[in-house]
């Protein structure tokens, strides 16, 4: 990173790294990712934006910091070295619950690996459970990517509005009931499978869907050759 010119401002407790991250997370929760700006974070800290830029060069650096904080799951279940599958399932469920409680968390994390200590603590927990399955180093690393991509994608779907109508305030259940009826009323000769599965396609049981997908992924991991 090239050095900044001039003299940095005097130390201000408002601009400690943890204060900047806290203000950024509060802004993200209030405004969403699209509404997050350096100016809004500076205003929440009650400082001028120019002062904030001495500590965080641009919005992308801020997003790295926020991604690291959001990826750090407190009280993450620890793999005890016994049943890797049960341990990994608990870790994934805890991560999902954590991300669902933070607005636009999936969009923030998607494709971003800032590798701060917070994010690495979560990565370490997942890797520990995967290595308990006896996988090769490469398969362990690739399985981590598989699981995190699945998790972020699933949570992203949960956090996104189902449609413009839902984004405008229509209850999701009402929308899904109407969608089920519209799918069931499609021409059966043209869409036989969609008509037959209209109810299952629009069922709101996201917890069950998550468990189904997670089990299938873990089945695949369990089928990988052990490196022992």
């Amino acid at each position: 990173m090239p050095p900044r010119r001039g003299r940095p401002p005097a130390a201000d407790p408002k601009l400690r790294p943890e204060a900047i991250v806290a203000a950024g997370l509060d802004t993200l929760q209030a405004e969403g990712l699209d509404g997050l700006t350096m100016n809004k974070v500076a205003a929440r800290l009650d400082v001028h934006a120019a002062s904030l830029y001495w500590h965080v060069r641009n919005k992308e650096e801020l997003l790295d910091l926020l991604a690291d904080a959001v990826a750090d799951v407190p009280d993450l279940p620890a793999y005890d070295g016994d049943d890797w599958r049960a341990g990994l399932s608990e870790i994934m469920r805890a991560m999902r619950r954590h991300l669902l409680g933070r607005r636009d968390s999936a969009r923030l994390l998607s494709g971003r690996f800032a590798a701060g200590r917070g994010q690495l603590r979560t990565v370490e927990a997942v890797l520990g459970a995967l290595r308990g399955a006896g996988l090769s180093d490469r398969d362990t690393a690739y399985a981590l990517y598989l699981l995190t991509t699945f998790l972020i994608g699933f949570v992203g779907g949960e956090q996104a509005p189902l449609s413009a109508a839902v984004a405008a305030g229509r209850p999701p259940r009402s929308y899904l009931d109407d969608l089920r009826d519209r799918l069931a009323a499609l021409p059966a000769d043209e869409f036989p499978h969609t008509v037959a599965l209209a109810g299952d396609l629009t069922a709101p049981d996201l917890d069950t869907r998550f468990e189904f997908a997670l089990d299938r992924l873990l089945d695949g991991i369990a089928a990988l050759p052990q490196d022992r």
Side-chain angles (χ1 to χ4, degrees), residues 185-218:
L186 290 169
D189 58 339
E190 187 177 0
F191 302 102
H193 307 302
T194 302
V195 170
L197 299 176
D200 289 318
L201 289 170
T202 56
D205 51 345
L206 289 173
D207 289 342
T208 302
R209 293 172 188 267
F210 180 83
E211 292 295 330
F212 174 85
L214 179 59
D215 279 345
R216 302 296 75 73
L217 288 175
L218 296 183

Side-chain angles (χ1 to χ4, degrees), residues 20-226:
I20 293 172
V21 169
L25 291 175
D26 288 344
T27 305
L28 178 65
Q29 195 69 22
E31 306 286 346
L33 190 59
D34 292 333
L36 177 70
T37 67
M38 295 287 281
N39 284 337
K40 289 179 181 177
V41 174
R44 193 172 287 271
L45 288 165
D46 194 25
V47 300
H48 294 295
S51 298
L52 180 59
Y53 277 104
W54 277 103
H55 300 269
V56 182
R57 182 178 293 277
N58 51 44
K59 184 177 177 180
E60 288 300 321
E61 284 192 4
L62 176 63
L63 292 179
D64 277 355
L65 295 174
L66 299 185
D68 184 57
V70 166
D72 189 8
V73 182
D75 302 319
L76 192 65
Y79 168 59
D80 61 8
D82 184 16
D83 185 339
W84 71 268
R85 182 165 182 150
L88 187 53
S89 295
E90 286 302 312
I91 290 170
M92 294 292 289
R93 293 181 190 119
M95 291 169 66
R96 176 179 173 234
R97 290 192 299 268
H98 173 77
L99 294 182
L100 283 174
R102 284 141 186 87
R103 184 176 179 182
D104 286 344
S105 59
R107 288 181 59 200
L108 173 65
L109 292 175
S110 182
R112 189 174 292 270
F113 188 21
R117 292 187 64 83
Q119 195 170 27
L120 288 176
R121 278 192 288 267
T122 301
V123 166
E124 182 71 11
V126 177
L127 288 177
L130 285 170
R131 295 192 83 184
L135 306 183
S136 69
D137 289 348
R138 194 206 74 151
D139 285 355
T140 298
Y142 282 19
L144 168 71
Y145 183 81
L146 171 69
L147 289 169
T148 54
T149 301
F150 155 68
L151 177 68
I152 291 169
F154 195 96
V155 171
E158 293 184 275
Q159 292 181 327
L162 284 165
S163 68
V166 174
R170 183 175 182 181
R173 182 64 261 168
S174 170
Y175 173 79
L176 286 172
D177 287 343
D178 181 62
L179 178 60
R180 177 199 60 214
D181 294 342
R182 286 191 283 124
L183 294 179
L186 290 169
D189 58 339
E190 187 177 0
F191 302 102
H193 307 302
T194 302
V195 170
L197 299 176
D200 289 318
L201 289 170
T202 56
D205 51 345
L206 289 173
D207 289 342
T208 302
R209 293 172 188 267
F210 180 83
E211 292 295 330
F212 174 85
L214 179 59
D215 279 345
R216 302 296 75 73
L217 288 175
L218 296 183
D219 286 344
I221 291 171
L224 291 169
Q226 292 196 350

